[in-house]
Amino acid sequence: MSKEYDLVILGGGTAGYVSAIRASQLGKKVAIVEKYKIGGTCLHKGCIPTKSYLKTAEILRYINHSTEYGIKTASAEFEIMDIVAKKDETVSTMYSGVQSLMKKYKIDVYEGNGRILGPSLFSPQAGTVSVEFENGESELLVNNNVLIATGSRPIELPFLEFNHHTVISSDDMMHLETLPHNILIIGGGVIGLEFASLLNDLGVEVTVVEAGPSIIPNEQQEISKTIKRTFEENGIKIYEKLPLSEDDVLVQDSHVDVKLQEDNISFDKVLVAVGRTPNTEDLGLNNTKIKTDDKGYIITNDVYQTEDKHIYAVGDVIGNYQLAHVATKEGTIAVEHMFDQNPILLDYLTIPRCIYTNPEVASIGMTEQDAKNEGLSFKKFKVPFKAIGKSVIENNGLGECILIKDIENENVLGIHMIGAKVTELINEAALFTFMNGSTEELATTVHAHPSIGEVLMELGLKSENRAIHV
């Protein structure tokens, strides 16, 4: 039995379902093949549930530090299962919303494993998708186009495989039944640091080990130093430039023994957060002309076509920024290209990057080191959040905002922030960057007072030698 579609999408995560909606808006008949749940990692195991955890951690942090806000007596009790239940409620609400969208746009969703077939009786070119269901039955989806958006999964260390009990992944963190007394997080970066932040707020003893020279290696150096200092002040132990090997780790039944420099420490749990790998196995890529790189990422052009021009790939499987908002934009561009809509191509230097820790980190464009590597002449301007009244109210003015500006043409190369609410503020910087704004325009745009966003106006003023508060 077979059905015909204009587009079949492999993977129903954020990129998959947003792309399906866009294709439906263009009048196309669309199907999604998803073997888990529509919404994918972002909704069920990543962006949404972790932010629910982080919100609970933020509330608890305010309560525990209430004296800083003039409240003499405040206390809170919590059970981890209640926190998980709140997360599940949030996810369920969003999941219902996505399911409703699939019905609204008349998108067929197949819950099974999709595999691309080679040329056959049904199609002279590779691309027909075979859907295999749990009951052993299968169905063929004949199509004009395929979009691969199957996402990624956590990477295991070769000497420390997940046992989902003492050695866990970020996926396992979604289903904690008890909080550990202590935890080792292997890997800095976004995932490791967000879990370090929220677990610390929940009272867990947290240690972070990073093999590289910095816990946020791809961000502005000042920001990495600030978050390291703040984490350590909050009781998080951090080791940088410390790669672990098989000789350093011994997995026991109820704990993991780890050698950290001269110390041997027993941890209740070890969270491995060293990155993610693309889900490209068992997709039938061998039946196509599609090429992958040495890490398994699918190679595409700038409109996300593979070597088989009617098969596109977006999101984590192509190895660009592994961010939900990037994947959705890539998917929209791919769909608009395949259906002759002449989309605007994605400039990755206009993409905001966020880390939802305490304090928050957000950035867009080039770092100082990126500019040096490109051989660019630039100036760097800084405004501390202590100069911004609303930020002082929020968190005593912790953090700063940094602007990198090209000397030759006055273009803004990058904006980098660490402080309160900057994961929201970065959207103003994203619009400013997308519109190719000037620092003069940034300086003369009226910002509400008091607001954290005033830091951008002050930064624009400083870059024009007209700073008021710094």
Side-chain angles (χ1 to χ4, degrees):
M1 182 179 177
S2 65
K3 293 185 178 179
E4 295 185 5
Y5 292 93
D6 296 304
L7 171 63
V8 173
I9 299 174
L10 297 179
T14 311
Y17 80 74
V18 169
S19 300
I21 290 171
R22 183 67 187 116
S24 178
Q25 290 172 341
L26 295 173
K28 307 304 177 181
K29 186 178 181 182
V30 188
I32 293 176
V33 182
E34 170 57 53
K35 63 181 179 181
Y36 179 57
K37 289 181 178 179
I38 199 80
T41 294
C42 179
L43 176 54
H44 298 284
K45 302 176 183 178
C47 318
I48 299 302
T50 56
K51 304 313 168 283
S52 177
Y53 283 157
L54 283 159
K55 182 61 180 180
T56 298
E58 179 188 33
I59 293 170
L60 186 62
R61 183 171 66 250
Y62 277 127
I63 294 172
N64 289 336
H65 293 267
S66 63
T67 55
E68 297 177 13
Y69 299 90
I71 300 173
K72 293 182 179 180
T73 303
S75 62
E77 296 180 0
F78 67 90
E79 297 289 341
I80 184 62
M81 293 306 296
D82 294 332
I83 296 173
V84 173
K86 172 58 179 174
K87 176 266 297 182
D88 290 342
E89 178 186 350
T90 300
V91 171
S92 178
T93 299
M94 301 296 294
Y95 182 43
S96 296
V98 175
Q99 289 176 308
S100 297
L101 287 171
M102 296 301 96
K103 293 178 182 178
K104 175 182 177 180
Y105 286 99
K106 298 180 174 58
I107 297 164
D108 293 337
V109 178
Y110 294 84
E111 295 182 357
N113 187 62
R115 184 178 293 107
I116 301 172
L117 303 179
S120 67
L121 176 66
F122 298 99
S123 175
Q125 61 184 3
T128 295
V129 173
S130 172
V131 184
E132 298 174 359
F133 304 103
E134 283 190 1
N135 62 7
E137 296 182 358
S138 63
E139 190 163 358
L140 295 179
L141 309 182
V142 181
N143 58 77
N144 296 324
N145 296 278
V146 174
L147 177 65
I148 301 171
T150 47
S152 62
R153 63 186 183 279
I155 294 175
E156 291 182 309
L157 289 170
F159 60 88
L160 197 59
E161 296 180 355
F162 299 129
N163 61 23
H164 309 293
H165 172 54
T166 55
V167 182
I168 61 176
S169 70
S170 56
D171 289 355
D172 297 316
M173 290 293 298
M174 299 301 103
H175 309 289
L176 280 182
E177 296 182 354
T178 59
L179 281 176
H181 169 69
N182 66 356
I183 189 169
L184 172 66
I185 299 177
I186 301 178
V190 177
I191 296 173
L193 295 189
E194 287 187 355
F195 279 116
S197 181
L198 75 89
L199 288 170
N200 175 252
D201 284 333
L202 295 177
V204 178
E205 294 181 8
V206 179
T207 301
V208 178
V209 172
E210 168 59 43
S214 167
I215 57 172
I216 321 180
N218 297 320
E219 297 298 339
Q220 189 69 19
Q221 290 183 359
E222 296 98 323
I223 287 176
S224 184
K225 290 177 181 177
T226 298
I227 200 163
K228 179 185 178 183
R229 184 184 70 251
T230 306
F231 270 29
E232 290 177 333
E233 290 172 352
N234 291 336
I236 299 173
K237 296 178 181 178
I238 295 176
Y239 295 81
E240 295 174 326
K241 301 179 183 178
L242 186 60
L244 297 178
S245 69
E246 184 176 5
D247 296 334
D248 301 314
V249 180
L250 179 61
V251 179
Q252 308 278 20
D253 290 338
S254 60
H255 62 277
V256 181
D257 295 326
V258 184
K259 182 180 180 181
L260 298 177
Q261 293 178 341
E262 301 303 320
D263 299 322
N264 291 297
I265 305 174
S266 291
F267 292 96
D268 292 345
K269 293 188 184 295
V270 174
L271 169 61
V272 179
V274 294
R276 300 178 67 86
T277 189
N279 293 323
T280 51
E281 302 88 349
D282 201 30
L283 292 180
L285 299 188
N286 57 305
N287 297 323
T288 72
K289 300 175 184 177
I290 294 174
K291 295 178 180 178
T292 59
D293 65 15
D294 56 359
K295 294 183 179 179
Y297 293 109
I298 294 173
I299 298 171
T300 71
N301 61 17
D302 58 4
V303 290
Y304 312 110
Q305 285 176 300
T306 68
E307 288 295 313
D308 268 315
K309 299 305 181 184
H310 63 293
I311 302 178
Y312 293 67
V314 298
D316 287 7
V317 294
I318 66 173
N320 292 326
Y321 289 143
Q322 292 184 329
L323 301 169
H325 49 284
V326 173
T328 58
K329 188 62 177 176
E330 290 171 345
T332 301
I333 292 170
V335 166
E336 291 181 350
H337 181 267
M338 70 177 67
F339 296 122
D340 302 319
Q341 296 298 304
N342 298 315
I344 298 173
L345 300 185
L346 182 56
D347 178 358
Y348 288 89
L349 290 176
T350 66
I351 291 170
R353 310 182 296 275
C354 298
I355 308 177
Y356 296 82
T357 45
N358 171 41
E360 293 181 349
V361 175
S363 57
I364 193 165
M366 291 185 180
T367 65
E368 181 179 2
Q369 190 58 50
D370 292 333
K372 288 179 180 177
N373 293 341
E374 293 288 330
L376 300 175
S377 299
F378 63 90
K379 288 183 179 179
K380 179 171 65 173
F381 303 91
K382 298 182 184 181
V383 173
F385 272 114
K386 283 189 178 295
I388 308 301
K390 189 65 162 57
S391 181
V392 174
I393 293 168
E394 288 284 346
N395 69 348
N396 296 318
L398 173 64
E400 63 184 334
C401 192
I402 302 168
L403 184 144
I404 312 294
K405 181 177 177 180
D406 193 311
I407 293 175
E408 293 184 3
N409 55 27
E410 298 289 305
N411 287 341
V412 174
L413 300 174
I415 297 175
H416 310 273
M417 315 173 187
I418 181 167
K421 312 300 183 184
V422 297
T423 58
E424 295 293 334
L425 181 57
I426 196 63
N427 291 312
E428 180 182 343
L431 179 61
F432 166 78
T433 305
F434 181 76
M435 299 299 291
N436 196 28
S438 68
T439 52
E440 172 69 22
E441 291 169 329
L442 194 62
T444 54
T445 297
V446 178
H447 285 66
H449 176 77
S451 67
I452 292 175
E454 287 180 280
V455 74
L456 288 175
M457 179 177 67
E458 195 69 38
L459 197 58
L461 287 167
K462 187 170 184 180
S463 68
E464 294 292 322
N465 297 314
R466 293 156 47 194
I468 302 296
H469 295 98
V470 290

